[in-house]
Amino acid sequence: MPNPKYAPEEPICAVATALAPAALGIVRCSGKNCISLLGSVFSRPKALEEAAGNTLVYGWIRDGENLVDEVMVSIFRAPKSFTGEDMVEISCHGGPSVVLAIHRLLLRSGFRQAERGEFTFRAFINGKADLTKAEAVKEIIDSRTIEGRSRAAGRLSGALYEEIDDIKKLITDTLASIEVEIEYPEDEETIADSFDSKDLKKAVERLSQLSSSWKGEKLYQDGARVVLCGRTNAGKSSLFNAILKEERAIVSDIEGTTRDWIESWVDFDGIPVRLFDTAGLRETDDVIEAHGVELTHSLSEDADIILYLADSRYNINTEDLIFLRLCKNPVVFVWNKCDLAETEKSLSVQFKAEIPTIKAELHISANKGEGFSELYKSVRNILTAGASTERTQAGLGSERQKAAVEEALESVRHAITVAEEDYALDAVVQDLEDALNSLGEVTGEVTADDVLGSIFSRFCVGK
């Protein structure tokens, strides 16, 4: 077992909604006899016992003679439930005290507190979900953008599992033809002539596509660090507020207003971005402001992209040049306050050649919201450069999956090489079996218990 506390079929319960004032709260239960156990604290136990699967039963949760709450109970009968076991979900009023009162009552009535991810783990061991779908559940919970959630939903629907299954079929069909040749050998001039490697080459192509998909998928999961930099009063805080659509940063014409950095997660055209507003760059005798400038330099070193703002009314000066020369990460040079400038400024060809980290130049007005679509597009193009982000195929959802696919790819490539170099067919068979085992790790058919424990322990309680 991945967790010694996991005990399949043992009745478990957990609060499945946030403990915060809300219209509804849900307490989830699963396991053997969970319906009859709930009946011991329910006002209509017979109705529960006789209820068909996928139905609702109205009643009251009771603690002895005391009424706890008026509820609706959803009944799910095995195997047609999320976990594959009998399940009930109690929909009660959403006050934390009510939800916790019901949860504590269930624990006193024979249920055990569910461990992290135990409901999804039971779905996995009962064949209701493979490991790619189980991991996709957590991806959806953790997703920060609609695009990220949509990609995870594709894996939850089985797109990745089906792709892996198709690749496995290419390998197993080839493996079967080789094993026939081993059992019934004929006079072949070379080992390479004894089977058709066409399917293996298709498998290599599809495994390569899967492997390359991780870079793009990881971007939608983990997001990117984008740091706003520039001289004082370039409009960094105004842009920060405009992107967030709320007044988070103090905006003032007084230089040095921003002395520390603040951050927030935002959606940049589907990509989750951790956006930082920083202190303006300038020489100052103010110790606190000077420390803020140091932090700006430090944050820029760890940025995936630097949005460098300059006031369109003024020319580039020495402070701009010194900072940009030190930048090692991609820079989008942003001329802000273009609505106030008499003419549109542009960086010279020589300037861009001197600072190759500048990947794009554009003009915006943070106050009027002009040029934002081009800003988002530029950031997206830089972040996705060299990554497969088109959703025309299944994509990987974790580092674990990426490592297993890479191992399978290496095994299939080696099998082709072994065959072409006229080694024994048994060596080819071993490589292909290794590839199948690696792909089995992706879906969970072949997975060590400690790996399962690591995966499901990252889930929240109640999921």
PDB file of all heavy atoms in Angstrom, residues 236-249:
ATOM      1  N   LYS A 236       4.965  51.665 -13.590  1.00  0.00           N
ATOM      2  CA  LYS A 236       4.941  50.228 -13.263  1.00  0.00           C
ATOM      3  C   LYS A 236       3.745  49.878 -12.390  1.00  0.00           C
ATOM      4  O   LYS A 236       3.028  48.907 -12.653  1.00  0.00           O
ATOM      5  CB  LYS A 236       6.239  49.830 -12.558  1.00  0.00           C
ATOM      6  CG  LYS A 236       7.501  50.028 -13.399  1.00  0.00           C
ATOM      7  CD  LYS A 236       8.746  49.586 -12.673  1.00  0.00           C
ATOM      8  CE  LYS A 236       9.026  50.401 -11.432  1.00  0.00           C
ATOM      9  NZ  LYS A 236       9.241  51.848 -11.731  1.00  0.00           N
ATOM     10  N   SER A 237       3.510  50.657 -11.338  1.00  0.00           N
ATOM     11  CA  SER A 237       2.398  50.364 -10.423  1.00  0.00           C
ATOM     12  C   SER A 237       1.054  50.554 -11.109  1.00  0.00           C
ATOM     13  O   SER A 237       0.099  49.805 -10.856  1.00  0.00           O
ATOM     14  CB  SER A 237       2.493  51.251  -9.175  1.00  0.00           C
ATOM     15  OG  SER A 237       3.667  50.935  -8.437  1.00  0.00           O
ATOM     16  N   SER A 238       0.976  51.546 -11.990  1.00  0.00           N
ATOM     17  CA  SER A 238      -0.271  51.746 -12.745  1.00  0.00           C
ATOM     18  C   SER A 238      -0.550  50.554 -13.645  1.00  0.00           C
ATOM     19  O   SER A 238      -1.694  50.089 -13.747  1.00  0.00           O
ATOM     20  CB  SER A 238      -0.178  53.021 -13.594  1.00  0.00           C
ATOM     21  OG  SER A 238      -0.080  54.162 -12.784  1.00  0.00           O
ATOM     22  N   LEU A 239       0.490  50.024 -14.294  1.00  0.00           N
ATOM     23  CA  LEU A 239       0.316  48.851 -15.149  1.00  0.00           C
ATOM     24  C   LEU A 239      -0.044  47.629 -14.311  1.00  0.00           C
ATOM     25  O   LEU A 239      -0.907  46.835 -14.694  1.00  0.00           O
ATOM     26  CB  LEU A 239       1.601  48.593 -15.940  1.00  0.00           C
ATOM     27  CG  LEU A 239       1.597  47.363 -16.858  1.00  0.00           C
ATOM     28  CD1 LEU A 239       0.466  47.458 -17.875  1.00  0.00           C
ATOM     29  CD2 LEU A 239       2.940  47.213 -17.568  1.00  0.00           C
ATOM     30  N   PHE A 240       0.612  47.485 -13.171  1.00  0.00           N
ATOM     31  CA  PHE A 240       0.315  46.372 -12.263  1.00  0.00           C
ATOM     32  C   PHE A 240      -1.163  46.383 -11.880  1.00  0.00           C
ATOM     33  O   PHE A 240      -1.859  45.367 -11.971  1.00  0.00           O
ATOM     34  CB  PHE A 240       1.205  46.492 -11.017  1.00  0.00           C
ATOM     35  CG  PHE A 240       1.088  45.362 -10.041  1.00  0.00           C
ATOM     36  CD1 PHE A 240       1.799  44.178 -10.232  1.00  0.00           C
ATOM     37  CD2 PHE A 240       0.284  45.473  -8.914  1.00  0.00           C
ATOM     38  CE1 PHE A 240       1.707  43.135  -9.325  1.00  0.00           C
ATOM     39  CE2 PHE A 240       0.178  44.441  -8.005  1.00  0.00           C
ATOM     40  CZ  PHE A 240       0.900  43.261  -8.205  1.00  0.00           C
ATOM     41  N   ASN A 241      -1.671  47.532 -11.460  1.00  0.00           N
ATOM     42  CA  ASN A 241      -3.081  47.653 -11.073  1.00  0.00           C
ATOM     43  C   ASN A 241      -4.013  47.401 -12.249  1.00  0.00           C
ATOM     44  O   ASN A 241      -5.066  46.760 -12.100  1.00  0.00           O
ATOM     45  CB  ASN A 241      -3.359  49.044 -10.502  1.00  0.00           C
ATOM     46  CG  ASN A 241      -2.726  49.254  -9.135  1.00  0.00           C
ATOM     47  OD1 ASN A 241      -2.407  48.296  -8.435  1.00  0.00           O
ATOM     48  ND2 ASN A 241      -2.526  50.515  -8.758  1.00  0.00           N
ATOM     49  N   ALA A 242      -3.619  47.920 -13.415  1.00  0.00           N
ATOM     50  CA  ALA A 242      -4.478  47.757 -14.598  1.00  0.00           C
ATOM     51  C   ALA A 242      -4.589  46.289 -15.005  1.00  0.00           C
ATOM     52  O   ALA A 242      -5.661  45.824 -15.409  1.00  0.00           O
ATOM     53  CB  ALA A 242      -3.919  48.589 -15.754  1.00  0.00           C
ATOM     54  N   ILE A 243      -3.488  45.540 -14.916  1.00  0.00           N
ATOM     55  CA  ILE A 243      -3.518  44.117 -15.271  1.00  0.00           C
ATOM     56  C   ILE A 243      -4.354  43.343 -14.256  1.00  0.00           C
ATOM     57  O   ILE A 243      -5.134  42.463 -14.617  1.00  0.00           O
ATOM     58  CB  ILE A 243      -2.085  43.556 -15.348  1.00  0.00           C
ATOM     59  CG1 ILE A 243      -1.354  44.153 -16.547  1.00  0.00           C
ATOM     60  CG2 ILE A 243      -2.109  42.033 -15.456  1.00  0.00           C
ATOM     61  CD1 ILE A 243       0.118  43.774 -16.629  1.00  0.00           C
ATOM     62  N   LEU A 244      -4.211  43.691 -12.964  1.00  0.00           N
ATOM     63  CA  LEU A 244      -4.972  43.008 -11.909  1.00  0.00           C
ATOM     64  C   LEU A 244      -6.432  43.449 -11.878  1.00  0.00           C
ATOM     65  O   LEU A 244      -7.276  42.762 -11.304  1.00  0.00           O
ATOM     66  CB  LEU A 244      -4.359  43.284 -10.540  1.00  0.00           C
ATOM     67  CG  LEU A 244      -3.359  42.258 -10.010  1.00  0.00           C
ATOM     68  CD1 LEU A 244      -2.133  42.154 -10.907  1.00  0.00           C
ATOM     69  CD2 LEU A 244      -2.950  42.600  -8.595  1.00  0.00           C
ATOM     70  N   LYS A 245      -6.702  44.631 -12.468  1.00  0.00           N
ATOM     71  CA  LYS A 245      -8.037  45.234 -12.442  1.00  0.00           C
ATOM     72  C   LYS A 245      -8.470  45.546 -11.005  1.00  0.00           C
ATOM     73  O   LYS A 245      -9.649  45.411 -10.637  1.00  0.00           O
ATOM     74  CB  LYS A 245      -9.072  44.333 -13.135  1.00  0.00           C
ATOM     75  CG  LYS A 245      -8.803  44.123 -14.610  1.00  0.00           C
ATOM     76  CD  LYS A 245      -9.866  43.243 -15.239  1.00  0.00           C
ATOM     77  CE  LYS A 245      -9.665  43.123 -16.739  1.00  0.00           C
ATOM     78  NZ  LYS A 245      -8.386  42.499 -17.114  1.00  0.00           N
ATOM     79  N   GLU A 246      -7.487  45.923 -10.185  1.00  0.00           N
ATOM     80  CA  GLU A 246      -7.773  46.366  -8.825  1.00  0.00           C
ATOM     81  C   GLU A 246      -6.623  47.234  -8.338  1.00  0.00           C
ATOM     82  O   GLU A 246      -5.508  47.173  -8.855  1.00  0.00           O
ATOM     83  CB  GLU A 246      -7.955  45.169  -7.885  1.00  0.00           C
ATOM     84  CG  GLU A 246      -6.747  44.260  -7.760  1.00  0.00           C
ATOM     85  CD  GLU A 246      -6.967  43.156  -6.751  1.00  0.00           C
ATOM     86  OE1 GLU A 246      -6.907  43.463  -5.542  1.00  0.00           O
ATOM     87  OE2 GLU A 246      -7.196  42.007  -7.164  1.00  0.00           O
ATOM     88  N   GLU A 247      -6.895  48.066  -7.329  1.00  0.00           N
ATOM     89  CA  GLU A 247      -5.887  48.988  -6.808  1.00  0.00           C
ATOM     90  C   GLU A 247      -5.058  48.278  -5.739  1.00  0.00           C
ATOM     91  O   GLU A 247      -5.304  48.405  -4.543  1.00  0.00           O
ATOM     92  CB  GLU A 247      -6.569  50.236  -6.225  1.00  0.00           C
ATOM     93  CG  GLU A 247      -7.314  51.064  -7.242  1.00  0.00           C
ATOM     94  CD  GLU A 247      -6.397  51.651  -8.303  1.00  0.00           C
ATOM     95  OE1 GLU A 247      -5.304  52.125  -7.955  1.00  0.00           O
ATOM     96  OE2 GLU A 247      -6.792  51.628  -9.493  1.00  0.00           O
ATOM     97  N   ARG A 248      -4.049  47.542  -6.160  1.00  0.00           N
ATOM     98  CA  ARG A 248      -3.182  46.835  -5.224  1.00  0.00           C
ATOM     99  C   ARG A 248      -1.938  47.649  -4.882  1.00  0.00           C
ATOM    100  O   ARG A 248      -1.434  47.604  -3.773  1.00  0.00           O
ATOM    101  CB  ARG A 248      -2.758  45.497  -5.829  1.00  0.00           C
ATOM    102  CG  ARG A 248      -3.776  44.384  -5.708  1.00  0.00           C
ATOM    103  CD  ARG A 248      -3.813  43.816  -4.309  1.00  0.00           C
ATOM    104  NE  ARG A 248      -2.491  43.386  -3.871  1.00  0.00           N
ATOM    105  CZ  ARG A 248      -1.941  42.223  -4.210  1.00  0.00           C
ATOM    106  NH1 ARG A 248      -2.597  41.379  -4.989  1.00  0.00           N
ATOM    107  NH2 ARG A 248      -0.738  41.893  -3.762  1.00  0.00           N
ATOM    108  N   ALA A 249      -1.394  48.348  -5.872  1.00  0.00           N
ATOM    109  CA  ALA A 249      -0.162  49.115  -5.667  1.00  0.00           C
ATOM    110  C   ALA A 249      -0.493  50.609  -5.552  1.00  0.00           C
ATOM    111  O   ALA A 249      -1.387  51.112  -6.223  1.00  0.00           O
ATOM    112  CB  ALA A 249       0.804  48.890  -6.826  1.00  0.00           C
TER     113      ALA A 249
END
